[in-house]
Amino acid sequence: MTSVRTHLYRRLARLAVVAVLPTAMLAIGSMPLAAQAAKATAGCQLNSAAGAIKHVIQLQFDNVHFRRDNPNVPSDIEQMPNLYNFLVGNGTVLNNHHTPVISHTGTDILTTLTGVYPDRHGQPVSNTFLFYGPDGVGHTALSFAYWTDLAQAFDGTAENKYNLVDAQGNNPPAPWVPYTRAGCNFGAVGTANIELERVANVATVYGATSAEASEAANLSDNGQALTTADFIGVAIHCAKGAALCGASNRGVADGLPAEPGGYTGFNGLFGHKYVAPKISASLPMTDLDGNVIANSAADGTQYPGFPGFNGTSAAVSLAYVAAMQEHGVPITTAYISAVHEQSDTGLGPGDPVYEQNLHRYDEAFGKFFARLAADGINKSNTLFVVTADENDHFVGVGPSNPGCNGVVVTCIYDPTKLGSVEVALDTLLQQHGITTGFGLKGDSAPDYYVDGNPGPNDPNVRQMERVAGTLLVVNPLTGKTERLVDFMADRATLRALHMVTSDPLRTPTFTQFNKPDYEGVAGGLDCGTPTDTVIQCQAIETWHHGDIQPQITTTWLGLVGPGVRHLGVNNQVWSDHTDTRPTTLALVGLRDDYRHDGRVLLGVLDRNAIKIRGNREALIALGHVYKQLDAPVGAFGTAVVSADTRAVIGGTPSDDIQYLAFEHKLTTLTNDRDALALQISMFLESATFGSGEDNRASAQDEGEGTAKKLIRQANAILDRANNLAGDE
């Protein structure tokens, strides 16, 4: 059997640390920081209501929770009062916010950055994915690559297609372009795919014969640690002609060869080595706690610079953001790593180390907001957008002192009862008579790539689906015998969930969504013996995500700034990651060169925050039903995946007629959904981003009437989806 086992959930990068090193002072300038911050916006032409928004700060956490994982233990954000009070007291936190599927860092950040579902940015399966090579088998590649990189597998197999692909197979428009075209410098820290992600990127950006490429060619552990510190994970994409990215600062061409409308004359600064001297008042640059930001090699050598993606704690990422904002970069986005880990070991809610991490994150946000306020950057002139990629599920037995609350009494866990329950899917399927070869993207939602890339009705595929969907396992954490799988999705359902891209070579044969404790793997377990098939691996992936269950796909979004209503915590507005981009752009008065899958969240904005055409209440109502129709985990998506789960495991090798009939119904239904969703999306985009007579929502009565008609049509399709799910 051909099998692929890849255990990458976040980044293929060394675990990084922030080292305390001696500092050497290097003055950048004597201008007060508040004056520098004001000067930073001078050429930046945002068009917000009354010109109020001068800065945009977007932060995306990795698995930091607004809701409680243990009812007795305050949630992550509740234990960061500096952040919680800022968001809840000054704006709106949407606590009914959702991810796409699969729910992983790569997919979720890209969806947030672009405002489109994974079928239109090309990464529905992450943080690694497979594509079929000329040999007919799946080859594993990393989702995290620079925006314009081509897909390339770890084994060197090249696909000759962009890592990120839109619906036409082109490289998607880059998220910084509307800002840089408006004269705004755009800075990024640790955010997926918009800074250099791989050592190979260095030669591409700086030239094969450059000194930078020579440094990156040192493949020793220390050499790679230095290259990461110098060039990976930090970038500034500059406005045209901006001195910040001039050649004297080692700015280089910011190449986007497939960008709609062209993108020439723009430069970027790539890497801490060139960014830090332009944004830090002293070198080496320090985090908000005064520690030198540095990357650590395996031998302990510390290299001042980007600390690796796992090293982007709140103190580190927020220090970069504040420094950029103070030195000519008014638009920033940053990734902040998970708070519930120590050296890649997951910690249970209320664990003392977890509590210490939360305290440090809270202190970092206190320092961050105070520093921004001293710079004159605050809620009166800045749009703050704060969210988390996915939620995740704690895999382990509860605390041995169940009355603990983490804050007063920390929680005690049995370390032997923490960690992923791994299932050897290849071995189990063989034991049930499945001999068909396949590659697997190991996950709590494992994706199968059957050798030869057969069609969905292939008899071997159908039998594999039947067996995979009915496997019974014993959970070593509970002793309970249960079905491994909660849901199944074949290719027809993957399409309905926006998981089928323009590249057919990277579409899984099918995906199974396990019960959240389980990770399905092939090619060997991370613990135990070769004969084990189900085993709990201590301290490995104590927190699971990627699955489709509400506890994992439901996360949060916080908005503060001019034009945002003060609603506090709001559970009524149903939103997802695609809504973040259009809402942000609408507030700052910019637009993309493409249609979003998300909609502007009018219900959380002041009435005068943006110009709309049509009836506001009708547009809000239409936006709500649109999400239920089109979002992967909206009502349509959850109905069809439930229906498909029953259909996929049904039938026999000699009689599969009911499955074939179901697939026909689902394909017809999805076609109808897609056509209507496109109409609604275009109508909403026109109402919120249109101008003049380019939209038919301009007349209030007509707009309201059209919205009501579209709502009726959407509800009819939702009824059909529910009926399909209810068919026996």
Side-chain angles (χ1 to χ4, degrees), residues 501-590:
T501 72
S502 60
D503 179 6
L505 296 180
R506 65 181 68 173
T507 302
T509 309
F510 64 94
T511 297
Q512 69 183 47
F513 298 99
N514 293 337
K515 285 183 168 57
D517 279 352
Y518 300 99
E519 180 188 2
V521 304
L525 299 169
D526 283 313
C527 63
T529 69
T531 60
D532 288 318
T533 55
V534 181
I535 190 169
Q536 184 247 329
C537 293
Q538 298 176 26
I540 295 177
E541 294 296 337
T542 303
W543 295 85
H544 270 182
H545 41 271
D547 248 322
I548 200 170
Q549 294 84 354
Q551 65 166 298
I552 290 171
T553 59
T554 307
T555 181
W556 57 279
L557 169 67
L559 298 168
V560 171
V564 178
R565 296 174 66 189
H566 296 186
L567 300 179
V569 180
N570 182 288
N571 297 309
Q572 303 306 307
V573 176
W574 202 105
S575 61
D576 74 359
H577 282 333
T578 64
D579 299 323
T580 307
R581 176 75 175 184
T583 301
T584 301
L585 284 186
L587 281 168
V588 300
L590 300 178

Side-chain angles (χ1 to χ4, degrees), residues 637-663:
T638 54
V640 299
V641 78
S642 178
D644 193 43
T645 303
R646 187 176 62 251
V648 161
I649 64 176
T652 67
S654 60
D655 182 6
D656 216 14
I657 191 169
Q658 288 187 340
Y659 170 77
L660 295 175
F662 168 81
E663 291 294 281

Side-chain angles (χ1 to χ4, degrees), residues 322-368:
M324 287 181 180
Q325 290 283 339
E326 292 162 351
H327 293 90
V329 189
I331 314 298
T332 52
T333 182
Y335 167 86
I336 301 177
S337 59
V339 73
H340 54 216
E341 292 183 355
Q342 179 187 34
S343 300
D344 271 349
T345 297
L347 306 167
D351 175 276
V353 176
Y354 193 163
E355 292 295 313
Q356 184 181 56
N357 292 344
L358 288 167
H359 178 69
R360 288 173 176 168
Y361 271 46
D362 179 53
E363 285 187 330
F365 273 98
K367 294 173 182 177
F368 177 65

Side-chain angles (χ1 to χ4, degrees), residues 369-393:
F369 289 128
R371 177 169 168 178
L372 292 181
D375 297 332
I377 301 171
N378 53 51
K379 64 183 181 180
S380 72
N381 58 20
T382 304
L383 176 62
F384 294 87
V385 182
V386 188
T387 189
D389 46 17
E390 67 273 304
N391 218 63
D392 49 5
H393 165 80

Side-chain angles (χ1 to χ4, degrees), residues 445-468:
D447 305 279
Y448 292 74
Y449 295 76
V450 176
D451 291 356
N453 197 8
N457 298 326
D458 179 89
N460 290 330
V461 170
R462 289 291 299 117
Q463 187 59 15
M464 185 184 291
E465 290 174 334
R466 292 187 192 98
V467 173

